[in-house]
Amino acid sequence: MSLSTTTATPIAGLDASRPVEKIYGETPYIQQGTAEFFRTSIALLCAGFATFALLYCVQPLLPAFSQEFGIGAAASSLSLSLPSIALAFGTLIASSLSEAFGRKPLMVGAVFASSALTLASAFAPSWESFLVLRTLQGLALSGLPAAAMAYLAEEVHPRSIGLAMGLYISGNALGGMAGRVGVGLVSDHYSWHYAMGFMGVLGLLSAGLFLVNLRPSRHFTPRALNVGALAGGFATHLREPGLRVLFLEGFLIMGGLVTLYNYIGYRLMAPPLGLSQTLIGLIFTVYIVGIGSSTFVGALGDRLGRARLFWIALGIAILGLLVTLIPTVTAAVLGLAITTFGFFAAHSMASAWVGRRAIRAKAQASSLYLFCCYMGASVLGSTGGWLWSGWGWGGVVSLIGGAMLLAIGCAAWLSRLKPVAQPAA
């Protein structure tokens, strides 16, 4: 389709002295129903898959780490908290690098490097060396999520962005499920070393599909880095009230989701439930609910408005949490599925919302949102370990429930916020 030929505003954080190509010019956007949209969806589905599969595959292994290395739940959770912190800070740097070197090259390098480090961690001789490799993996992985969100915001037509982002988040859910189930099955029959090697190979396969299917950016021009302008771009996003609240939402939503999956394995293995590692891995197939919810609700948000649906998704998450308090396996699985539906629906809408509210320097806005997501995963995820040790599952649910109540309050405030004016498209 022919778009407006308005000259693009220079992107914050880049050298304004260099010529800028028209971002909102004649180059068409990727739209739903086209072959390009299908291939882009496949590519970003693989990217989302790799992100969650490689990062969160250790969650079913936390009880195994506790047993093998003689450490508590909080210490075992460092295998996830440390790479989450590295990823959080890395996204702030990676988003700026993507402005200079392009979205696709950075994403491809990130997924290949993080897959290779996952393979290396399978041969770690000690707990300390394993943590070092996991931290480096989180840092390497940081180049993928911030650039992916910015790529979608720049290349996909605004009328299709909700569905596209939903499909990307679906890849997160698919990766989270495959990582947890695969690792649970392999570790129960062999060892966690074999399980991590399996995930490294799976990550490399995803990287190959991603490389083949993703087209280069067409609405983005690489520019020389300008540190002062980059800092100004971050400051601009942090001054925007709606974006600030969305960043907080990311902290609460991802923090709650990760805390839930960090410690549900301990609950399922402990009396009176007493499930095996294999059965716990199979229960993580409820992650497939997130695949459907993120895609369906993401597209629905495009039509009905995110403000109308956001708080409902968070309310569903709280309902599921309450169900997990019933001391039966059936209730634990049902509650986990309901909560997963709500978390991924909310995360999908918040991710797309950030891309729409950030007029320029979208990679930086995405990186701030993801920074908050992964800091939430680290802070709340580790805090949940102390609560589990002291107060059991009720303490963990109280932490997540409190975060969700705060998120609902933020959602109510966002529903009254005036939308920002978008460039002609």
Side-chain angles (χ1 to χ4, degrees), residues 335-402:
L336 195 61
I338 295 172
T339 306
T340 300
F341 181 98
F343 275 135
F344 274 98
H347 180 42
S348 175
M349 286 185 284
S351 300
W353 212 338
V354 168
R356 292 295 291 157
R357 287 201 72 85
I359 301 301
R360 56 185 64 87
K362 292 180 182 290
Q364 289 175 277
S366 297
S367 70
L368 284 170
Y369 175 76
L370 291 168
F371 172 83
C372 292
C373 282
Y374 292 111
M375 285 303 294
S378 177
V379 173
L380 297 184
S382 294
T383 303
W386 297 108
L387 293 175
W388 165 259
S389 298
W391 290 279
W393 187 244
V396 175
V397 169
S398 296
L399 174 66
I400 302 171

Side-chain angles (χ1 to χ4, degrees), residues 5 29 60 110 124 134 140 179 235 246 270 303 317 342 357 405-406 417:
T5 56
Y29 286 78
R134 285 286 295 167
L246 284 168
R303 298 196 302 270
R357 287 201 72 85
L405 287 174
L406 179 57
L417 194 64

